[in-house]
Amino acid sequence: MTETVAVTGASGQLGRLVVEALLRRNAGPIVAIVRNPAKVADLAERGVQVRQASYGDDEAFDRALAGVDRLLLISGTDFGDRVAQHTGVIRAAERAGVQLLAYTSIPRADENPMALAQEHRDTEAVLAESTVPHVFLRNGWYWENYTDRAAAAAEHGVLHGSAGEGRVSAAARADYAEAAAAVLTTDGHAGRSYELGGESLTYPALAQVISEVSGKSVDYSDVSEAEYAAALERNGLPTPVAHVLANADTGIRDGWLDVTTGDLAALIGRPATPPAEVLRAAIAR
């Protein structure tokens, strides 16, 4: 019997790519769970079932998960509220009898000290105690996280950060989407934790990639976490966001986003997308 696969946050950048990957795999039926169905009208026209639900609306998720066999829970963006929101979805999945729940987490969430990791760690703990068979997709950084910084670096000749000589294993957002689709459409994943990341670079090496794809000389300037947070604030970022991003660079410095498992390439059946490919397209825009 064909299993029904659902994706939360399906109108978002990652969610939409997962749905596209599921369509390429001829999975189905596919359920796109979104807050605003109008944003995925094109997916509905292609046969995707669109169901409306928002994190925090338990009754809506009970309706959205009716008949769902496999679910991708894409972590929310309401920092501070995410554990409660995720828990509501997990409880709805329990009530619906979901057979596999995949959750998008962060590398080594169970021990990662980064500020971004806390809510992932707490969500994983809720899942560990739940009755739903589950798998953790511990996604590393996206190369797309650096596209704006790369364009600015190419313009000004310097990439700023506070990562020192730490290495970051990133991949294209579409790579993580393919990995999620693979897990949702094949067996043997329940109880697993996949540490996902692509090519590993230091920031000086990333600056060299930006130089190569832009044709302009770019150097890396390393500062302290506090100095980098202050610089981000001066550039217009809200204080909490600036501090979380600067703390993420410290996490990179300390090795928490250096992923060497090979799990991503194994799931998608090919090497992850090179950073130059992602950044070249961004700088060209």
Side-chain angles (χ1 to χ4, degrees):
M1 183 174 65
T2 302
E3 292 184 307
T4 298
V5 181
V7 178
T8 71
S11 61
Q13 291 177 306
L14 177 61
R16 179 175 280 274
L17 288 171
V18 174
V19 173
E20 294 286 355
L22 290 169
L23 286 168
R24 288 194 297 272
R25 287 173 169 267
N26 295 314
I30 302 170
V31 175
I33 301 174
V34 296
R35 287 182 295 181
N36 182 359
K39 290 186 176 181
V40 291
D42 60 309
L43 295 178
E45 292 173 356
R46 296 163 65 188
V48 175
Q49 297 179 29
V50 176
R51 300 181 185 176
Q52 186 171 14
S54 300
Y55 293 136
D57 188 339
D58 294 346
E59 291 184 3
F61 262 99
D62 280 336
R63 294 190 295 271
L65 296 184
V68 168
D69 300 296
R70 298 188 177 207
L71 171 66
L72 176 65
L73 170 54
I74 294 178
S75 55
T77 57
D78 295 331
F79 297 104
D81 297 325
R82 296 197 293 176
V83 178
Q85 292 175 348
H86 298 162
T87 299
V89 178
I90 293 165
R91 299 295 175 242
E94 288 177 331
R95 292 189 292 271
V98 169
Q99 298 170 20
L100 181 71
L101 189 156
Y103 171 67
T104 61
S105 190
I106 195 171
R108 290 184 281 169
D110 52 338
E111 56 180 350
N112 191 324
M114 291 168 54
L116 280 173
Q118 180 64 56
E119 288 179 303
H120 290 299
R121 180 162 51 253
D122 291 346
T123 298
E124 288 193 6
V126 173
L127 269 170
E129 296 175 357
S130 77
T131 60
V132 181
H134 54 272
V135 53
F136 300 140
L137 304 178
R138 291 173 167 171
N139 291 349
W141 248 215
Y142 303 145
W143 287 126
E144 285 88 348
N145 291 350
Y146 295 103
T147 52
D148 290 342
R149 291 170 70 176
E155 180 180 355
H156 299 292
V158 60
L159 174 70
H160 296 284
S162 55
E165 290 291 331
R167 306 184 75 87
V168 56
S169 303
R173 186 177 281 110
D175 292 340
Y176 295 115
E178 282 191 38
V183 167
L184 291 168
T185 55
T186 57
D187 295 324
H189 304 289
R192 299 286 302 273
S193 296
Y194 292 109
E195 303 285 346
L196 303 175
E199 186 173 341
S200 180
L201 293 180
T202 63
Y203 275 19
L206 180 60
Q208 182 59 35
V209 172
I210 298 170
S211 297
E212 292 170 359
V213 300
S214 68
K216 301 176 181 179
S217 178
V218 176
D219 295 317
Y220 174 57
S221 173
D222 191 66
V223 297
S224 70
E225 178 179 333
E227 290 171 320
Y228 186 44
L232 292 173
E233 287 185 63
R234 289 195 298 271
N235 287 332
L237 284 181
T239 297
V241 176
H243 282 268
V244 165
L245 292 179
N247 177 259
D249 265 19
T250 297
I252 292 169
R253 182 198 66 199
D254 295 340
W256 290 103
L257 294 182
D258 186 14
V259 179
T260 59
T261 61
D263 286 351
L264 180 60
L267 285 173
I268 65 179
R270 59 170 174 79
T273 304
E277 186 174 324
V278 179
L279 297 178
R280 182 179 291 110
I283 292 172
R285 286 200 296 267

